Amino acid sequence: MKSLKERILKDGRALNETVLKVDSFLNYQVDAKLMYEMGAYFKEYFKNHGITRILTIESSGIAPTSMTALQMDLPMVILKKQQSKILNGEVYQTTVHSFTKAMDYELTLSKNYINSDDKVLIIDDFLANGEAALGAAKLVEEAGAEVAGIGIVIEKSFQVGRKKLENRGYDVYSLARINKLGENLIEFID
């Protein structure tokens, strides 16, 4: 996605070999037009996958996922990172390790918002080691549903996430694939 790559080069900041800050358009401040365009790319790629529901993990995946759900006219479900006292066991949960935050968290999916006959698209902001996407996929499959695809906004292709996901048979589509990061260095694949 050319416009996303251009925006990453213009406004993104590579802090080191693993950290890319894109907070001016993806997570602290959101460029709605760019999110809408991302939704169009995800819709086009996944249009023949039979998707019935789109999931994302709070919070940075919400903006591109909502635009994808809007364009595909599908329900969007947000997986929570904190336990809720009001759900009373009506959830699927798994522990996920966050590469960015170097910590574990409980990923939670309400049983009310997934069905065993769903074909699910999972969308996330970053793909590094694949732990978040694998955790989301585990919850989908625990519910008896199928992971129809995984959409990623920015993939750090130099890390093992894509390989882990593809080894599990998932169709992974990334809008921007980064080959190399370094202080003030961002190189793309393609």
Side-chain angles (χ1 to χ4, degrees), residues 62-184:
I62 293 173
T65 305
S66 65
M67 293 299 176
T68 305
L70 176 70
Q71 292 188 46
M72 293 180 82
D73 194 26
L74 293 170
M76 178 182 96
V77 177
I78 300 169
L79 304 178
K80 301 296 185 175
K81 291 182 182 176
Q82 290 98 19
Q83 291 180 322
S84 172
K85 293 179 181 176
I86 62 170
L87 293 176
N88 298 325
E90 293 298 312
V91 297
Y92 300 103
Q93 285 187 309
T94 191
T95 302
V96 173
H97 182 75
S98 169
F99 173 80
T100 307
K101 296 183 175 137
M103 62 178 275
D104 291 343
Y105 61 89
E106 284 295 314
L107 191 59
T108 303
L109 169 59
S110 173
K111 290 181 180 180
N112 294 326
Y113 303 112
I114 191 163
N115 301 305
S116 61
D117 59 349
D118 276 323
K119 293 183 110 182
V120 176
L121 170 59
I122 298 168
I123 295 180
D124 206 2
D125 59 341
F126 275 94
L127 175 60
N129 289 326
E131 297 301 315
L134 285 171
K138 179 181 178 183
L139 297 178
V140 168
E141 291 165 351
E142 190 175 327
E146 176 187 336
V147 176
I150 298 175
I152 302 295
V153 175
I154 301 170
E155 175 187 329
K156 297 177 187 175
S157 297
F158 53 89
Q159 292 182 272
V160 299
R162 175 178 280 272
K163 185 175 182 180
K164 283 182 181 178
L165 297 174
E166 288 179 339
N167 285 345
R168 297 277 306 270
Y170 301 126
D171 183 3
V172 180
Y173 175 64
S174 299
L175 300 179
R177 296 183 69 198
I178 296 175
N179 184 52
K180 187 175 184 182
L181 286 177
E183 188 174 340
N184 299 314

